[in-house]
Amino acid sequence: MYDLKSMCADDFINDAEILETLKYAEDNKNNIELIDSILEKAKPNYTDHGTFCKGLTHREASVLLACDIPEKVKEMYDLAEEIKKAFYGNRIVIFAPLYLSNYCVNNCVYCPYHAKNTHIPRKKLTQEEVAKEVIALQDMGHKRLAIESGEDPVNNPIEYILDCIKTIYSIKHKNGAIRRVNVNIAATTVENYKKLKDAGIGTYILFQETYHKESYLKLHPQGPKHDYNYHTEAMDRAMDGGIDDVGLGVLFGLELYKYEFAGLLMHAEHLEAVHGVGPHTISVPRVKTAEDIDPNEFDGGISDDIFAKLCALIRIAVPYTGMIISTRESQAVREKVIRLGVSQVSGGSRTSVGGYAGYSLTERPHDTEQFDVSDQRTLDEVVRWLMEMGYIPSFCTACYREGRTGDRFMSLCKSGQIQNCCHPNALMTLKEFLMDYATDETRKIGEEMIKAELNNIPKDKVREVCKDHLEKIAEGIRDFRF
Ligand code: SAM
């Protein structure tokens, strides 16, 4: 039975509830009165104490997803853009993935790292190699990483992951530093989540892949990941282990997107109901071609238009949750969804183990690649592209370092103070990038952007302090933050 506060996956992601939701959505997809009332509920409420949004339940959001009336879909897109601007302004946070090991004991049928793939070379970075990768990433200008690893208790035990995190934080090359390490590793125990928390991680990310249990079991035929309930309940264990910021995600293309969308929102509702705080981020990967994998094998492939609609509706349904898009998507798709709600993008990414060090910015090794990268531009190109579209590329990592995690981050988001905090932090970290890593052309555009965007810091005092810090950054001092 559906019970959002239950700690059992079968209850909080309840199949019968999802099927009823889909039926309700289908029955009401042309019910203009209902659709209007849902859109009205989702609108931001601007007050003197900040901006507030109620978000939507999985049922309400599913009605909008089912609705194909062009004027209503346009209203959804406009609303998503409005909410995005209200909470995230024009800032886009930048990160890169770092693949540590592709040893894996699972057999996920969509992933080339599956244990039965005998022709992919297996590679695990030594700590010296991790250091080299980190130096290469720092030399590009990155400050925030998401570490990725296959699941293999012998080759990649938690101690190995912890050693890698320690190495990553210890490297200070020239003016570089990795200031936030997010972690995307397989579901684990509360004890191990505590260890990750103590190692100073940012967000713990785990993609559900699919919320459809029957499909999940088929898509993960062997290995520890086969256990649907253990996987689906992982975020509860992570939060019990003290990790405030968790990142959800569905691998779109495996199952029917309407089912996944309802499941994803039910998961967010569950975390909010049980832990008092919803997911920090939601990722929206789509399954991609990879060695040994043909995405056309999966029925649930979705068009770019449906993908955009999903992004817009996630933005409307969970307005305070960051949304992440990777280089799985092309420049054109990324452009579309950044406008509709995405708040974080990766740039200059390599999805192979040891893909950064020893290669030029345009060379990419394919031997251990997890999937084809669509957006192959360099980080400098991504930064320039964002600025040319009017977005401030932000390398900010301040929140978790200032203890603004979980509900404290959400309150900042709601209070309206974000513009006095995230905005100057974005400008200062962009300035660091421009000083240390940018090409002349990017630097020129960036300096102009910083000058103009200083005027968008509401508080005079904060603006003055920010200006002072910017001058100090130009003199060589680093790592200021609000
Ligand atoms: N091994 C960990 C786990 O099982 O959760 C996480 C790391 S895995 C490297 C990161 C994610 O890559 C997976 O959760 C999956 O969603 C995604 N992925 C795997 N194969 C993919 C493919 N062919 N196309 C796109 N994304 C893929």
Side-chain angles (χ1 to χ4, degrees):
M1 214 186 67
Y2 178 48
D3 177 0
L4 95 161
K5 285 198 172 175
S6 165
M7 300 310 276
C8 173
D10 298 319
D11 299 333
F12 66 81
I13 307 292
N14 181 261
D15 180 61
E17 170 61 20
I18 298 183
L19 295 179
E20 267 178 48
T21 298
L22 300 189
K23 182 171 183 317
Y24 172 77
E26 196 54 32
D27 290 347
N28 284 289
K29 68 178 185 184
N30 293 317
N31 181 342
I32 305 264
E33 209 178 309
L34 178 67
I35 289 161
D36 282 344
S37 72
I38 295 172
L39 286 168
E40 190 56 40
K41 177 187 169 190
K43 281 188 184 153
N45 181 16
Y46 302 97
T47 75
D48 293 344
H49 315 289
T51 305
F52 300 88
C53 264
K54 292 196 184 84
L56 295 177
T57 65
H58 60 277
R59 281 213 176 200
E60 292 163 339
S62 292
V63 172
L64 297 188
L65 185 59
C67 166
D68 282 329
I69 305 165
E71 311 87 80
K72 294 295 146 194
V73 174
K74 172 149 191 329
E75 281 180 42
M76 293 174 211
Y77 283 16
D78 290 347
L79 180 55
E81 253 188 278
E82 184 184 348
I83 294 173
K84 159 94 200 272
K85 279 201 195 109
F87 295 114
Y88 292 91
N90 57 346
R91 297 171 298 279
I92 297 287
V93 167
I94 307 227
F95 75 100
L98 171 58
Y99 281 72
L100 302 177
S101 167
N102 68 349
Y103 282 93
C104 195
V105 296
N106 289 311
N107 261 310
C108 314
V109 304
Y110 48 83
C111 179
Y113 294 168
H114 66 86
K116 285 193 183 146
N117 187 352
T118 49
H119 33 95
I120 195 166
R122 298 290 165 173
K123 215 160 146 185
K124 167 187 166 181
L125 299 180
T126 62
Q127 294 312 309
E128 290 70 37
E129 287 168 331
V130 172
K132 282 191 187 144
E133 290 286 274
V134 170
I135 288 171
L137 283 154
Q138 288 185 6
D139 281 347
M140 289 160 78
H142 279 294
K143 299 284 185 271
R144 173 190 289 248
L145 300 183
I147 55 172
E148 311 276 338
S149 169
E151 178 169 17
D152 185 328
V154 174
N155 286 297
N156 322 324
I158 193 73
E159 289 70 27
Y160 169 70
I161 304 291
L162 296 170
D163 282 349
C164 292
I165 296 171
K166 205 185 263 176
T167 302
I168 295 167
Y169 279 135
S170 74
I171 306 293
K172 302 278 179 293
H173 177 66
K174 298 185 184 162
N175 277 339
I178 299 301
R179 301 174 182 153
R180 177 172 179 132
V181 178
N182 296 334
V183 175
N184 184 6
I185 61 165
T188 185
T189 59
V190 174
E191 196 181 47
N192 285 347
Y193 286 125
K194 278 188 186 143
K195 290 180 186 168
L196 288 170
K197 159 91 184 165
D198 292 344
I201 69 160
T203 311
Y204 171 65
I205 301 165
L206 180 69
F207 299 160
Q208 178 62 30
E209 321 299 7
T210 174
Y211 284 97
H212 192 279
K213 186 169 185 175
E214 211 181 303
S215 299
Y216 182 97
L217 296 175
K218 284 191 201 135
L219 290 161
H220 306 95
Q222 284 106 26
K225 196 165 170 179
H226 179 70
D227 188 336
Y228 171 88
N229 287 45
Y230 188 74
H231 186 84
T232 311
E233 292 155 13
M235 293 315 192
D236 294 302
R237 291 193 302 281
M239 285 184 150
D240 287 344
I243 298 176
D244 288 334
D245 291 343
V246 299
L248 303 181
V250 160
L251 187 53
F252 284 106
L254 298 178
E255 244 302 335
L256 298 175
Y257 69 91
K258 290 180 180 166
Y259 191 101
E260 303 293 21
F261 180 69
L264 180 66
L265 293 184
M266 284 162 81
H267 201 170
E269 287 163 17
H270 163 74
L271 296 177
E272 175 95 47
V274 173
H275 305 279
V277 55
H280 187 67
T281 54
I282 289 181
S283 299
V284 287
R286 279 195 288 186
V287 70
K288 293 277 303 175
T289 304
E291 202 269 349
D292 211 34
I293 306 296
D294 175 4
N296 300 320
E297 274 178 32
F298 301 98
D299 312 313
I302 49 170
S303 69
D304 290 351
D305 283 345
I306 288 176
F307 185 65
K309 194 172 174 193
L310 281 165
C311 292
L313 291 177
I314 291 173
R315 176 46 56 247
I316 294 174
V318 282
Y320 304 115
T321 299
M323 212 192 301
I324 303 180
I325 192 129
S326 74
T327 54
R328 287 176 183 87
E329 299 298 337
S330 65
Q331 176 179 339
V333 170
R334 277 155 54 104
E335 265 169 36
K336 197 166 179 181
V337 295
I338 283 175
R339 196 166 52 79
L340 295 174
V342 163
S343 55
Q344 287 190 32
V345 302
S346 48
S349 304
R350 303 289 156 85
T351 64
S352 45
V353 182
Y356 295 104
Y359 297 98
S360 74
L361 290 178
T362 50
E363 249 179 319
R364 57 184 56 240
H366 294 291
D367 56 343
T368 60
E369 209 166 41
Q370 197 196 16
F371 51 81
D372 284 353
V373 168
S374 294
D375 187 342
Q376 303 202 352
R377 291 170 299 165
T378 63
L379 181 59
D380 184 80
E381 287 167 335
V382 169
V383 165
R384 199 182 325 143
W385 160 72
L386 287 170
M387 296 192 299
E388 280 167 353
M389 292 190 297
Y391 296 105
I392 310 171
S394 173
F395 293 88
C396 178
T397 54
C399 270
Y400 95 105
R401 296 164 82 208
E402 291 292 323
R404 292 189 296 260
T405 56
D407 54 354
R408 273 157 294 171
F409 169 76
M410 300 294 171
S411 337
L412 176 77
C413 219
K414 293 171 198 174
S415 68
Q417 284 312 310
I418 208 155
Q419 201 67 9
N420 283 314
C421 191
C422 301
H423 202 76
N425 284 341
L427 298 182
M428 293 189 300
T429 54
L430 173 61
K431 176 80 177 178
E432 290 185 338
F433 179 85
L434 300 179
M435 296 297 301
D436 293 336
Y437 308 105
T439 56
D440 290 345
E441 197 188 338
T442 303
R443 190 174 311 114
K444 193 163 162 277
I445 299 171
E447 293 293 359
E448 275 164 27
M449 173 166 245
I450 291 175
K451 218 192 302 165
E453 289 289 345
L454 269 168
N455 298 324
N456 293 328
I457 301 175
K459 268 195 193 154
D460 294 344
K461 175 90 179 76
V462 175
R463 197 178 326 109
E464 286 317 306
V465 174
C466 182
K467 271 189 195 162
D468 181 60
H469 288 348
L470 287 166
E471 276 166 26
K472 294 210 166 78
I473 293 169
E475 289 160 14
I477 304 174
R478 295 287 172 271
D479 204 12
F480 293 101
R481 61 177 182 263
F482 285 95

